[in-house]
Amino acid sequence: MEFSIKSGSPNKQRSACVVVGIFESRKLSLPAELIDNASAGYISNILRCGDMDGRIGSTLTLYNVPGTLCDRVLLVGLGKEKDYREAEFCKAIRASIQTLNGLEVNEAVLFLTESSVKQRFGPDSVWRIRQATLIAQEVVYCFDCHKSGNDESRRRTPGRKLDKLTFAVERRNELAVAEAALAQGKAIAEGVTFACDLGNQPANVCTPDYLAATAQRMAAELKLECEVLGRKEMEKLGMHALLAVAKGSRQEPHFIVLRYQGGKAFDAPLVLIGKGVTFDSGGISLKPAAKMDEMKYDMCGAAAVLGTLQATVRMALPINLVVLIPASENLPGGAATRPGDIVTSLSGQSIEILNTDAEGRLLLCDALTYAERLKPDAVIDIATLTGACVVALGHLASGLFANNNALAKELLQAGEIAQDRIWRLPLWDEYGEGLKSNFADMANVGEREGGAITAASFLSRFAGNYPWAHLDIAGTAWKSGKHKSATGRPVALLCHHILHRVKQLKIS
Ligand code: BES
Ligand code: MN
Ligand code: ZN
């Protein structure tokens, strides 16, 4: 998708489609009013007929509107003006792009970005442009690289492809700021798309080797340092928790380290850790067959940290960022780890593996210990860690756990601003009691209830002496059902958090 910024009157746009907003009930936004004036009341006449009342997300396409230079005018409902906030803006943008995507247009000018939104964080055209870019990219996203046939037969919606969007700003003096916002929005949207593409790849394509090769390709393209450890190097280091997960697979596990030095040489880095289980069958503690295909998404944490890294570098943000990806498959086999096996983690703590399906924490615990040697400013791990988190929060919010209130608060607010929301769950010591083992320092599972917290509690024993947050994205990293696809979450949240860290995003 190509994006651009423009200032000008809606009635003077030579375009296939001009998009303007209507408030409930039948109240014209300023750009709609300009078209109405130029067309001698054409729009208000139509509204009087009752075909469109401005309900949030409703749309009406008009053709040959007098006094305009465009082929179509798309009216989009914005809901009640007094309730027009962040979420409503996003809904209206989504409805516009969805409608445009189904029309025979390849290009359009959106005026919804002009009208201000009642925002908790201040009215902000930068936010509107960034968000509109992210939503547009998401709506047109389609993973069809494994479908045969020509481009046209692969298309979900027949017709011409929407491939160019222009966002309007009210005044010429806003253009420069809007262009900068667009550049940010594009970088983040490409990071999200990157994460979706990687997540959607089947597990016979996206293996630990493939993740490593992808990291190396990214490093070459973006001039980053990249190090990939194999089984031998990990054995030497003592990453036996990670290695235990890989034992049943023919695929070699990897520990991937990527470094971006955008900050000063001695600035402590932000470390992002992404769970990279390229397929989670459960191992000897085998999962049931239903929906097991979705366990190809068990590397979405890894995809998210790579997407975030790419966006950060493309925005050239002044920060030192290190990405760590423990990558493995979790399969049963003659050499696989058995329930009851005991291993020693990189931290020196021993673990009794009572359930081989609780493999994410085994991979992550060694990465958390490894992170300590980077002397990090903060560490955030991102993982499709527990089904219990999906039970707790559903598919709207990712789970947040943290040993540091300031970091937790910053992440919560970044999630709100990015509309990529998270919700904090407790990490009290007592939650770790279920992890007691008769034979090792701890077991890898506790009781079933509160499983997302038990898992986080397990991880907290490996988080070193640094501010640490854990995001459980099991319910948000992909959608199931007819529209099964990776979502790219939480790339937008992480990018906004990084923008905040480098003081390019105001958080109240
Ligand atoms: N990758 C899964 C978590 C998961 C399951 C994410 C379903 C999304 C949907 C993880 O490795 C896992 O299997 N967790 C177990 C832990 C249990 C054995 C303590 C789970 O949640 O069932
Ligand atoms: Mn598992
Ligand atoms: Zn898993």
Side-chain angles (χ1 to χ4, degrees):
M1 179 82 92
E2 222 183 283
F3 295 98
S4 58
I5 304 280
K6 201 181 226 181
S7 79
S9 311
N11 50 309
K12 301 217 176 96
Q13 303 302 316
R14 286 183 196 283
S15 167
C17 190
V18 165
V19 184
V20 296
I22 306 290
F23 288 108
E24 208 172 331
S25 40
R26 303 181 200 170
K27 182 174 184 303
L28 305 181
S29 65
L30 194 65
E33 209 171 300
L34 290 174
I35 293 190
D36 199 46
N37 293 343
S39 62
Y42 188 84
I43 306 237
S44 25
N45 275 333
I46 285 183
L47 295 184
R48 262 194 292 278
C49 294
D51 290 33
M52 157 71 146
D53 58 2
R55 227 176 340 104
I56 182 78
S58 60
T59 59
L60 181 67
T61 315
L62 308 176
Y63 296 84
N64 303 319
V65 176
T68 65
L69 302 174
C70 54
D71 302 335
R72 303 166 188 78
V73 172
L74 176 63
L75 304 182
V76 180
L78 306 180
K80 297 211 172 71
E81 193 170 11
K82 70 169 178 37
D83 299 331
Y84 191 56
R85 295 174 203 287
E86 288 101 328
E88 286 70 25
F89 172 84
C90 293
K91 261 189 209 156
I93 294 282
R94 191 176 303 272
S96 314
I97 314 289
Q98 275 164 348
T99 307
L100 289 169
N101 216 17
L103 288 171
E104 283 279 313
V105 302
N106 64 339
E107 151 282 321
V109 188
L110 258 85
F111 280 82
L112 304 189
T113 42
E114 266 198 22
S115 322
S116 68
V117 177
K118 290 200 184 77
Q119 273 179 275
R120 283 209 282 146
F121 303 99
D124 192 344
S125 66
V126 172
W127 179 87
R128 293 195 300 268
I129 303 247
R130 219 195 281 126
Q131 216 56 27
T133 311
L134 280 164
I135 294 168
Q137 185 94 351
E138 185 203 315
V139 171
V140 302
Y141 178 78
C142 174
F143 185 76
D144 55 12
C145 63
H146 293 292
K147 296 212 179 199
S148 62
N150 59 31
D151 281 356
E152 200 48 44
S153 65
R154 284 191 210 164
R155 296 276 312 282
R156 272 199 206 140
T157 40
R160 271 204 318 215
K161 197 172 167 200
L162 178 67
D163 57 12
K164 189 172 181 317
L165 273 183
T166 304
F167 300 129
V169 292
E170 210 173 341
R171 286 179 289 274
R172 292 188 64 85
N173 64 10
E174 293 175 276
L175 283 172
V177 171
E179 290 284 359
L182 179 62
Q184 276 184 355
K186 269 164 44 177
I188 300 172
E190 285 162 11
V192 172
T193 303
F194 177 92
C196 289
D197 282 345
L198 197 52
N200 282 328
Q201 284 293 2
N204 62 328
V205 173
C206 183
T207 58
D209 278 343
Y210 184 89
L211 281 183
T214 303
Q216 276 158 338
R217 197 160 14 87
M218 180 178 285
E221 187 198 321
L222 302 175
K223 302 192 175 59
L224 311 172
E225 274 177 62
C226 181
E227 206 184 328
V228 175
L229 311 186
R231 200 174 251 134
K232 279 227 176 65
E233 290 96 335
M234 288 192 270
E235 267 163 13
K236 219 182 258 159
L237 281 174
M239 295 179 147
H240 298 292
L242 197 167
L243 287 165
V245 177
K247 279 187 136 179
S249 171
R250 299 194 182 186
Q251 303 288 334
E252 188 179 4
H254 294 297
F255 189 77
I256 303 166
V257 184
L258 276 163
R259 282 197 181 81
Y260 165 60
Q261 285 276 340
K264 299 202 186 79
F266 297 106
D267 284 352
L270 171 67
V271 176
L272 299 179
I273 302 175
K275 173 179 174 183
V277 173
T278 58
F279 190 75
D280 181 12
S281 71
I284 298 294
S285 314
L286 194 63
K287 285 182 181 297
K291 284 197 180 181
M292 209 209 271
D293 67 291
E294 296 188 4
M295 282 300 116
K296 71 173 182 178
Y297 290 121
D298 214 17
M299 37 55 70
C300 282
V305 297
L306 286 173
T308 303
L309 175 65
Q310 178 188 288
T312 304
V313 182
R314 289 198 180 160
M315 290 186 273
L317 298 181
I319 188 171
N320 293 338
L321 185 63
V322 182
V323 155
L324 302 178
I325 299 174
S328 172
E329 246 185 343
N330 186 22
L331 290 184
T337 294
R338 295 149 287 248
D341 284 4
I342 296 178
V343 296
T344 304
S345 65
L346 180 59
S347 74
Q349 301 177 87
S350 62
I351 304 167
E352 184 185 14
I353 302 175
L354 288 178
N355 188 323
T356 63
D357 197 11
E359 85 297 341
R361 60 198 79 179
L362 296 173
L363 248 83
L364 292 170
C365 72
D366 280 348
L368 285 166
T369 305
Y370 183 94
E372 184 117 56
R373 66 183 66 186
L374 303 167
K375 301 197 172 53
D377 194 29
V379 176
I380 307 171
D381 76 72
I382 298 96
T384 46
L385 202 62
T386 64
C389 191
V390 191
V391 174
L393 296 174
H395 302 286
L396 280 180
S398 308
L400 163 68
F401 301 84
N403 66 6
N404 181 291
N405 291 334
L407 178 61
K409 193 171 162 215
E410 286 170 15
L411 287 168
L412 279 162
Q413 295 196 342
E416 234 20 93
I417 294 174
Q419 298 277 301
D420 183 354
R421 286 179 293 182
I422 57 181
W423 194 257
R424 192 174 183 184
L425 294 164
L427 246 189
W428 302 315
D429 282 346
E430 291 88 328
Y431 278 110
E433 276 164 20
L435 293 169
K436 283 206 179 98
S437 157
N438 285 355
F439 309 111
D441 294 344
M442 69 192 89
N444 76 327
V445 289
E447 61 262 52
R448 218 167 63 88
E449 294 87 357
I453 310 177
T454 319
S457 175
F458 178 94
L459 294 180
S460 74
R461 300 180 178 193
F462 299 85
N465 188 23
Y466 45 69
W468 162 71
H470 156 59
L471 298 176
D472 193 331
I473 57 168
T476 54
W478 74 92
K479 287 174 292 193
S480 305
K482 203 162 132 235
H483 300 288
K484 190 190 294 175
S485 181
T487 60
R489 288 177 69 179
V491 171
L493 156 74
L494 292 169
C495 289
H496 280 72
H497 176 66
I498 291 172
L499 283 173
H500 164 68
R501 282 186 168 262
V502 303
K503 306 198 162 48
Q504 295 192 25
L505 181 75
K506 205 181 79 217
I507 283 184
S508 61

